[in-house]
């Protein structure tokens, strides 16, 4: 019998092109063998055969366009292999149960036969009922706390009897707050429903309009559609804005629900229609950013959240930092809350759950997470075979959070009340998310048949309900009363952070165009039919014509809705989100504080890390700066020589120190203190970075200018937390990042994964990150002081990345007049006169500057070459300046070209340039275009490895001998010196010409 293979359901796509035909007539194929490849403008997909058989005729060719149902090929003699049907378990069979019982202290075995069991889990329902009745009786007569006490006693007893107790991480799949304890929203639901409808409409309209203009622009409708109630209840009743009397709650919005926030701001009159029309068109002024980006909308957005997982992490550390400021007496305790809205898919990010332990440990009851569980992420269900809500409940409960599940809406209350046998809850428990998703993608009848229909008793329970009634059974996250009740409880919770886990529907109200279907996330275009449906679904008062024009809807300012909306916000203090700052600046400390570092250290050797730590110690003597410093360390204080801070300023610990530290006798004993200043983060670079962001944005979030200084192994900086470094930049964080133990040959013994040869390049990509690689104490001091001035006195929205080293050496006196050069990125450090045989400009940065100095000595003395040594404090800053000047010159071709700073330094100098650093060559190569002379760079390209500094520098060829040889060779290359000079030097210094290039080793 012949069968045909046709195109299956390919979603919304029609007339899709066949780009490959993978079979030919006569081919024998198996079930699921691919037949053709289809390609739409988004993706390509193979169509598998549903049958086994032999192709008798191919009906299509490459280039043909097909849609669902188009025949691709016919098969002869095909056989349909029957899928095995799942075996249905028979229920309520009498069971024989082997039981162990304790009798007179002895274990005896006896057999019990029960005539009727409700399930295999319950062998004696009557006994079960007796226990339940007892519990009920205690609750009614003696109250819930007595009942709780008895249960705890029973559990303790069970443990001491050695019983294996059921896993109690999760509670049944129902709301945590029982209907009887719900607190109903005091709001006018009629008006709130209308407001929500208009916000929904405008949020969708702005995305559709943008994509109509240009499909490149993108956007999301389904996310906010699922979360609208979660936001509205917060906005109408809970979230307090910053005023001159109150600091304001801080809200982290889920990144791609941004259209909903704009749509509300539009109703509030804060955003114009013109702006809505510029959603995602940010290049010209007045556009609205795709996601929350404070850099792009600095008066609106407070927190960048769209890179998933960073929001929750930053919110936790924000809540912690708020308590830190309060405990240190820098902020009033006003009961402010930090709210963080998340997607359920986002909870898969390690960062999302990575810091929840800290939140519980530090009793952050100022923190509320709201996880919008619409059961879907981008491609499909978050947990098709499981239950994300239960999984999250278990994880948060395990971590010690207060968990509030908001699963079912009020329409379910009556059904649950009638569910005397617990069968409804059992059914709720046993359905998996894939089924729950399908229920809301289908119909009331489908829910009746497939949810209630599984048990006759449940079918009976809803027998007097129409399919429409069943469809109306809502989910908790769409019920304003349930959400209100959860928020009401959360804000009153003491001693623990709270997570509200709310069940919703992705694309709620979008109907066939995208409600609860797997493609909802990408839906950004709605056609006329979809838009009319959406309008009708939420009763938006727009005519068909207005809908077809995708007009926005905003009732007049005198309408009840707008008055109500504004009144709600007025009562809560004003606008949210809104970014403002009223922080007082910090006066830059006097030069005297830095004086020590400007003079030679003589024979005394120290590392730049030590210099920095000393400088911080000095700064702690400045009354303006001292209280604002926030030293942040991820378990490396001793590595950086910072243990002295433990006693001096204490380690922040919200409960103080409950123990006598083991080293209490010692000077720098481990001192934890409620008002401690050091944030000792433990081993979490992401956590430390989040603290640093909280500290560096306190000027806007708390109106207190702080100076966070985060010290870390430079290899575990930008590379490890690069995404947070971007979030910091976006947030306009002000503060210092110190990449300690930096460089590939400076951190000698730690080896490959510790030796950093590229962090400066990563830093250079961040536009408002100012970075330096200083060598000497005075450079560090000049740079640090300038950083304090620029960021904390002049309020520039930049942050500093400064590398520091752990190599000890002596430091010279600051050359007169070098300050400006130090800050711009290079200055003439010293001239080594030879015999004028040739001239070389030698550029060095970080620790390798010292090798450059040594090689200049050799070159001048032994080879008669005149060398000028330039200390390059920042190839990155030089590059930025060079790019800008070059661009300006190119844009003004008729004007006299301006000189980049590099050129200003070098244009009058003679000779070629040789540059070296402890970083890969690309770092110094950045200035190559601006040097305008022959330029040779040396660097540490290749894998790091553990050895002595001397051997490492030889290996990477950045030691003085290699620099001498390469300089001579380069001079020969430029025909400024005879090549035999270089040849001789190669022999003299035993340079192995056959050695393999370090990147290949
Ligand atoms: C770090 C990161 N990875 C991937 C993405 C791309 N992305 C945007 S939304 C999304 C799905 C989110 O699902 P969920 O968190 O459940 O949110 P929902 O839209 O369902 O509310 C993904 C993968 C991102 N924004 N950030
Ligand atoms: Mg989701």
């Amino acid at each position: 019998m012949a069968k045909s293979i046709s195109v299956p359901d390919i979603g919304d796509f029609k007339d899709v092109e066949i780009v490959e035909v993978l079979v030919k007539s006569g081919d024998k194929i198996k079930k699921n063998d691919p037949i053709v490849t289809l390609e739409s403008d988004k993706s390509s997909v193979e169509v598998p055969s549903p049958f086994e058989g032999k192709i008798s005729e191919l009906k299509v060719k490459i280039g043909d366009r097909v849609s669902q149902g188009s025949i691709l090929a016919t098969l002869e003699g095909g056989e349909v292999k029957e899928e095995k049907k799942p075996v249905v378990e028979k229920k309520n069979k009498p069971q024989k149960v082997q039981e162990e019982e304790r009798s007179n202290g002895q274990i005896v075995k006896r057999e019990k036969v029960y005539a009727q069991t409700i399930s295999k889990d319950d062998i004696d329902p009557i006994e079960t009922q007796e226990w339940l009745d007892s519990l009920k009786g205690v609750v009614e007569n003696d109250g819930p706390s007595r009942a709780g006490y008895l249960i705890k006693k029973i559990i303790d007893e069970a443990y001491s009897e050695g019983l294996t107790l059921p896993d109690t991480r999760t509670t049944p799949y129902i709301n945590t707050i029982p209907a009887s304890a719900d607190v109903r929203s005091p709001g006018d639901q009629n008006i709130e429903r209308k407001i929500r409808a208009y916000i929904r409409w405008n949020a969708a309209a702005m995305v559709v309009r943008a994509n109509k203009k240009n499909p490149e622009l993108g956007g999301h409708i389904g996310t906010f559609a699922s979360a609208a109630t979660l936001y509205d209840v917060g906005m109408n009743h809970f979230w307090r804005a910053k005023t001159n009397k109150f600091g304001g709650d801080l809200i982290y919005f889920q990144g791609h629900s941004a259209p909903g926030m704009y749509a509300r701001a539009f109703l509030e009159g804060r955003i114009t229609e013109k702006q809505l029309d510029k959603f995602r068109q940010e290049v010209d002024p007045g556009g609205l950013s795709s996601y929350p980006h404070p850099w792009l909308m600095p008066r609106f957005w407070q927190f960048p959240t769209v890179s998933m997982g960073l929001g929750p992490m930053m919110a936790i550390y924000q809540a912690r930092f708020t308590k830190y400021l309060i405990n240190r007496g820098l902020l009033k305790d006003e009961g402010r809350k930090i709210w963080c809205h998340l997607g359920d898919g986002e909870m898969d990010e390690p960062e999302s759950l990575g810091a929840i332990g800290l939140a519980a440990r530090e009793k952050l009851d100022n923190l509320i997470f709201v996880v919008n569980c619409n059961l879907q992420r981008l491609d499909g269900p978050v947990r098709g075979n499981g239950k994300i809500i239960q999984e999250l409940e278990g994880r948060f409960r395990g971590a010690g959070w207060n968990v509030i599940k908001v699963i079912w809406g009020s329409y379910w209350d009556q059904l649950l009340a009638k569910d005397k046998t617990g069968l409804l809850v059992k059914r709720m428990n046993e359905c998996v998310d894939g089924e729950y998703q399908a229920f809301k993608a289908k119909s009331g009848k489908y829910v009746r048949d497939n949810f209630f229909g599984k048990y006759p008793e449940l079918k009976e329970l809803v027998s007097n309900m129409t399919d429409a009634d069943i469809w109306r059974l809502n989910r908790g996250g769409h019920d304003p009363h349930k959400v209100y009740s959860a928020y009401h409880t959360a804000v009153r919770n003491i001693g623990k952070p709270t997570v509200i886990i709310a069940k919703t529907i992705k694309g709620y109200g979008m109907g066939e165009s995208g409600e609860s279907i797997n493609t909802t996330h990408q839906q950004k275009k709605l056609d006329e039919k979809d838009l009319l449906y959406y309008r009708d679904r939420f009763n938006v008062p727009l005519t068909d014509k207005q809908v077809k024009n995708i007009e926005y809807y905003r009732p007049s300012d005198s309408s009840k809705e707008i008055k109500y909306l504004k009144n709600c916000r007025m009562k809560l203090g004003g606008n949210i989100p809104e970014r403002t700052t009223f922080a007082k600046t910090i006066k830059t400390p006097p030069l005297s504080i830095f004086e020590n570092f400007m003079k030679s250290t003589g024979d005394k050797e120290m590392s730049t890390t030590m210099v920095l730590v000393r400088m911080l110690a000095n700064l702690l003597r400045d009354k303006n700066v001292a209280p604002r410093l926030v030293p942040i360390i991820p378990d490396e204080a001793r590595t950086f020589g910072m243990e002295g801070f433990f006693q001096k300023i204490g380690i922040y610990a919200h409960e103080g120190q409950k123990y006598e530290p083991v080293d209490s006798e010692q000077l720098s004993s481990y001192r934890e203190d409620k008002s401690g200043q050091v944030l000792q983060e433990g081993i979490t670079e992401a956590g430390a970075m989040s603290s640093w962001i909280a500290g560096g944005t306190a000027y806007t979030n708390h109106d207190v200018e702080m100076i966070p200084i985060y010290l870390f192994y430079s290899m575990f900086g930008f590379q490890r937390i690069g995404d947070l470094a971007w979030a910091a930049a976006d947030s306009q964080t002000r503060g210092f990042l110190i990449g300690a133990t930096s460089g590939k040959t400076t951190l000698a013994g730690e080896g490959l994964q510790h030796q950093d040869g590229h962090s400066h390049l990563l830093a250079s990509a961040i536009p408002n990150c100012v970075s330096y690689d200083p060598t000497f104490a005075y450079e560090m001091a000049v740079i640090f002081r300038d950083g304090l001035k620029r960021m904390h006195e002049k309020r520039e929205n930049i942050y500093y990345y400064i590398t520091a080293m752990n190599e000890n050496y002596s430091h010279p006196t600051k050359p007169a007049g070098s300050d400006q050069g130090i800050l711009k990125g290079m200055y003439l450090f010293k001239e080594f006169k030879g015999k004028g045989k040739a001239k070389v400009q030698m550029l060095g940065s970080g620790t390798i500057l010292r090798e450059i100095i040594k090689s200049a000595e050799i070159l001048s003395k032994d080879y008669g070459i005149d060398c000028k040594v330039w200390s390059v404090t920042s190839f990155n800053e030089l590059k930025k300046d060079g790019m800008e000047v070059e661009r300006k010159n190119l844009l003004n071709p008729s004007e006299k070209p301006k000189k980049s700073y590099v050129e200003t330094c070098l244009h009058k100098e003679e000779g070629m340039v040789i540059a070296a650093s402890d970083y890969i060559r690309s770092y110094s190569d950045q200035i190559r275009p601006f040097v305008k002379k022959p330029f040779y760079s040396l660097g540490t390209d290749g894998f790091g490895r553990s050895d002595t500094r001397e051997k490492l520098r030889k290996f990477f060829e950045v030691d003085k001998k290699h620099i001498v040889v390469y300089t001579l060779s380069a001079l020969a290359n430029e025909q400024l010196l005879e090549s035999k000079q270089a040849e001789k030097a190669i022999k003299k210094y035993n340079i192995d010409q056959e050695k393999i290039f370090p990147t290949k080793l």
Side-chain angles (χ1 to χ4, degrees), residues 254 343-345 372-377 382 506:
Q254 197 187 349
D344 47 358
N372 174 22
C373 289
N374 53 26
L375 313 186
Q376 289 176 243
R377 46 181 158 75
V382 175
K506 192 142 178 167

Side-chain angles (χ1 to χ4, degrees), residues 355-369:
I356 63 172
L358 171 117
R361 205 162 56 240
E362 302 225 0
K363 301 193 167 76
L364 300 181
D365 50 12
N366 56 345
L367 177 68
I368 299 164
F369 272 18

Side-chain angles (χ1 to χ4, degrees), residues 776-808:
F776 295 126
Y778 63 83
E779 294 177 349
M780 182 69 97
V782 168
I783 290 164
F784 201 88
R785 183 167 188 267
D786 195 57
L788 286 174
K789 185 174 209 135
R790 286 180 68 182
M791 293 188 286
H792 303 291
E793 189 178 307
K794 304 263 182 228
R795 297 188 172 129
E796 274 191 65
N797 288 321
I798 49 178
Y799 69 72
Y800 274 58
Y801 176 55
I802 308 175
T803 40
M805 289 153 309
N806 62 341
E807 184 175 355
N808 291 331

